[in-house]
Amino acid sequence: MESIKSMSIITMLDLPVRGDDRGSLIALEGGITLPFEIKRVYYIFDTSDGVSRGFHAHKKLQQLMVCLSGRCRVVLDDGVRREEVWLESPTQGLQIGNMIWREMHDLSPGCVILVVAGEYYNEDDYIRSYQDFLELSA
Ligand code: T46
């Protein structure tokens, strides 16, 4: 698990490519490639043109986000700082911890985002109001 960029709230993981002359393969292993155990995997695709997603934080959830195809711009906000990063490579993962507001913008046509999560889906873990997020993170 090698962090190639860890400044402020953006943490990108350089994912190990197990390639050979047939092509490339990346394996994500909980507790090895990722700093948490994996309980859930989901992917986002076929997002309508011009639509942004996210606009929430999680109370406890740890996740890794990888753009497998296309690109998208992710905004992260810890209640004090607001930063953004383009995800455009299947070899790089954006680690997002708890109490980080996230937004996904400018998803390109054909954009596919894989998300690996440390917990099962739980709507109670979501903070969907930015004002509530600011109060809870203060
Ligand atoms: C996140 C960003 C990056 C489920 O039933 N199970 C699931 O595991 C997930 C993730 C979602 N859903 C349902 C809940 C909604 O009815 O799928 C629908 C769309 O979910 P949501 O509006 O939360 O999708 P995004 O793209 O805004 O956010 C998702 C994740 O929910 C969130 O945890 O960090 O991707």
Side-chain angles (χ1 to χ4, degrees), residues 2-13 83 95:
E2 183 189 358
S3 174
I4 58 168
K5 180 182 175 188
S6 182
M7 54 180 201
S8 56
I9 48 179
I10 305 285
T11 299
M12 297 296 293
L13 297 186
E83 299 173 2
Q95 193 182 325

Side-chain angles (χ1 to χ4, degrees), residues 20-76:
D20 57 28
D21 55 8
R22 296 170 300 168
S24 301
L25 183 154
I26 289 175
L28 303 177
E29 297 177 282
I32 301 173
T33 327
L34 311 179
F36 55 84
E37 295 299 331
I38 299 168
K39 285 197 177 163
R40 180 167 51 111
V41 175
Y42 60 93
Y43 39 97
I44 295 165
F45 61 104
D46 277 354
T47 300
S48 302
D49 192 32
V51 168
S52 294
R53 306 189 62 118
F55 299 95
H56 57 256
H58 285 279
K59 296 171 192 166
K60 294 185 180 164
L61 188 64
Q62 304 285 322
Q63 297 193 115
L64 185 85
M65 187 183 298
V66 184
C67 189
L68 298 182
S69 178
R71 68 197 302 246
C72 74
R73 181 170 61 89
V74 180
V75 173
L76 297 184

